Amino acid sequence: MIQNKPRIVSLQPIVLGDNRRVTMELVVENLPAVFANVAFTMPDRLDTPPTKPPKPAADVPSPYPNLELSILNRHRQQVASLFIVEHKEEFTALTMHLRQPDPQEDYTARAEMTYQDEVLDVVETSFRLRQAN
């Protein structure tokens, strides 16, 4: 895939005021460069018609890793999760929802980066919900 494998630099769970939502701030490094398949042209200024960019070959795998974010309870059961296919962003902030949050519970925020069935990196961070006043 890449000489320098992508890795997770940080995972920061931020509990929102309602104790039901947790924003997961994630920083990763060593991702492949993003290549846009977009041609910017001004048709009225062209002497020749624009050419279409080449289509990627279907049998060439994407160079981007997949990423799974999850929240685990103290029994290591997944209580919230999301999956990002072909993750391309160095910084991501996504909000996850807890259906039955427990302010007394110890939770774990977990990020797992994979590429073609190989685990590249896993980061876990413990956190608690805010205590009611």
Side-chain angles (χ1 to χ4, degrees), residues 11-17 21-25 91 93-96 109 127-130:
L11 174 63
Q12 179 67 41
I14 300 169
V15 178
L16 301 181
R21 295 173 295 145
V22 179
T23 297
M24 306 279 269
E25 289 188 351
F91 175 78
L94 297 166
T95 301
M96 301 178 73
F127 70 97
R128 292 197 90 180
L129 301 178
R130 296 183 180 140

Side-chain angles (χ1 to χ4, degrees), residues 97-125:
H97 299 257
L98 300 173
R99 288 183 186 241
Q100 296 176 335
D102 180 357
Q104 307 305 315
E105 180 86 48
D106 291 318
Y107 290 99
T108 301
R110 185 175 197 278
E112 178 176 299
M113 184 181 291
T114 59
Y115 182 75
Q116 296 182 344
D117 298 326
E118 176 189 352
V119 175
L120 300 178
D121 202 2
V122 176
V123 171
E124 293 186 350
T125 305

Side-chain angles (χ1 to χ4, degrees), residues 1 5-6 10 12 26 36 39 41 43 53 66 70 77 83 89 94 110 119 121 125 127 131-132:
M1 172 178 146
K5 287 186 179 182
S10 70
Q12 179 67 41
L26 178 78
T41 59
N66 296 328
S70 55
Q77 297 169 321
F83 192 77
E89 305 294 328
L94 297 166
R110 185 175 197 278
V119 175
D121 202 2
T125 305
F127 70 97
Q131 296 295 324

